Every structure is written in structure tokens, then in C-alpha cells.
Amino acid sequence: MKRLLVVLLALLSFVCRADQVERKSVYIVGDFSVTSDMGEDRDGLWRYGPWDDDFFITNTAVDYTLKFYHEPWRGFNHVVVDLPISALEILSSSVVEAAELLKFTTSDDAYNWMLDKKRTCSKIYIIDRCDFYKSSESLSAPDRMKAVEVWIWYNDIPSHLHGAFHIDEFY
């Protein structure tokens, strides 16, 4: 009986691992303007205050705001990765231009893009070109960037797309 139980547990473990989704990384790159006005009627790429690593992509004409949260102060273990700007060439297959996320034709298309990233457990990083910096004062141009790991909250996606009941994992 014990052997049968061990075999069943081993099979269950194998099946569970086979169903897991491969976690991919997505790097959203853009020029995010800093604002002290939190209103969501602001078009374009922006973040609230220079100290905040929460990012917003808003298209008021189509009526959607894609929100990406960092909030390390809440105890989430999301990171900021320091990288050379040249790493964008290596990451090119995973890079999404933030300006492209302003071009959805319907708000459902925009929120479905977010829902897809949430359901596939994609790790999402924002790279703000406004935060590029020089690693040395002797350089003539910036050579470093930071990639801020962010998360999507289900409640920001309309419930008619994901259903009324969900569990938000905060990543």
C-alpha cells in the first residue's frame, strides 16, 4: 500500500510539473514622464512622482490605462536590475516598445494583453529611457540602465475579461 501511495505521489508530482507554464520575461522600454498629478486622464507613458516606480500607459481615446506596480515597500520581493544599455540587443526578442502599447484599437485588446502576461506568469520589467545614466563622469553618454520588475493586479483588468472570481498572486 505504501509503494502504491509513493508511486501515485510521484506521478502527481510529474503531472503538476508538466502543467506549469514556462515563465518568460518581458522588457517594456519607453520614455516615461514624471508627474505630480495622479489623474488617469493623462495620455501617454508616465509615472507618479520621481520616487515612485509604478508605471502607467494610458490611451484616453480608446479608454484604457495599463498599470504596472513595483511597490517594494509592501514587502513584495520585486527587484531592480542594473544592466548595461548594450543588453537591449541581447534581450531584443523580449523587448516591447512602450509606445506600441498605446496602439491597441480597443480597450479589451489592451487588457487582454495584460491578462495574457498575468496568466503566463511572465516576469515584467520596465526600462525607462529617462533613467539611463553614466557609470562614470568621464563618459560622454549614458551606458547603464535599470530594469524595474513590476506586477499586474487583476483588479485593474475588467472582470468581463477574466471572470469575477480570481486569486491575485502579486506578480
Side-chain angles (χ1 to χ4, degrees), residues 8-21:
L8 286 175
L9 288 174
L11 285 172
L12 181 62
S13 170
F14 178 75
V15 168
C16 288
R17 271 191 237 128
D19 286 344
Q20 287 180 346
V21 177

Side-chain angles (χ1 to χ4, degrees), residues 83-127:
L83 298 167
I85 294 173
S86 60
L88 285 173
E89 293 174 21
I90 298 166
L91 302 171
S92 64
S93 64
S94 302
V95 170
V96 174
E97 278 295 326
E100 291 298 312
L101 299 177
L102 289 168
K103 297 179 180 178
F104 289 108
T105 55
T106 69
S107 61
D108 281 359
D109 290 343
Y111 292 122
N112 275 322
W113 181 88
M114 284 181 70
L115 188 58
D116 176 61
K117 299 305 167 226
K118 185 75 173 162
R119 284 188 174 152
T120 59
C121 299
S122 297
K123 282 193 169 237
I124 302 173
Y125 296 88
I126 301 278
I127 299 173

Side-chain angles (χ1 to χ4, degrees), residues 34-37 47-53:
V34 176
T35 181
S36 59
D37 176 23
R47 64 184 184 183
Y48 178 65
W51 59 89
D52 196 353
D53 283 327

Side-chain angles (χ1 to χ4, degrees), residues 32-155:
F32 290 82
S33 63
V34 176
T35 181
S36 59
D37 176 23
M38 189 58 179
E40 288 187 19
D41 57 344
R42 173 177 305 283
D43 243 347
L45 313 173
W46 57 283
R47 64 184 184 183
Y48 178 65
W51 59 89
D52 196 353
D53 283 327
D54 293 344
F55 297 88
F56 305 88
I57 299 174
T58 304
N59 183 328
T60 55
V62 184
D63 192 29
Y64 64 84
T65 296
L66 306 181
K67 299 175 187 176
F68 302 95
Y69 301 97
H70 179 66
E71 300 180 9
W73 53 269
R74 281 197 177 169
F76 303 114
N77 197 16
H78 297 281
V79 297
V80 176
V81 181
D82 185 52
L83 298 167
I85 294 173
S86 60
L88 285 173
E89 293 174 21
I90 298 166
L91 302 171
S92 64
S93 64
S94 302
V95 170
V96 174
E97 278 295 326
E100 291 298 312
L101 299 177
L102 289 168
K103 297 179 180 178
F104 289 108
T105 55
T106 69
S107 61
D108 281 359
D109 290 343
Y111 292 122
N112 275 322
W113 181 88
M114 284 181 70
L115 188 58
D116 176 61
K117 299 305 167 226
K118 185 75 173 162
R119 284 188 174 152
T120 59
C121 299
S122 297
K123 282 193 169 237
I124 302 173
Y125 296 88
I126 301 278
I127 299 173
D128 189 352
R129 285 190 188 97
C130 298
D131 286 343
F132 284 7
Y133 65 96
K134 299 179 196 177
S135 61
S136 170
E137 289 299 319
S138 62
L139 296 173
S140 61
D143 66 329
R144 304 293 293 178
M145 63 183 181
K146 66 178 185 174
V148 179
E149 184 181 0
V150 294
W151 56 273
I152 296 168
W153 193 29
Y154 265 120
N155 289 349

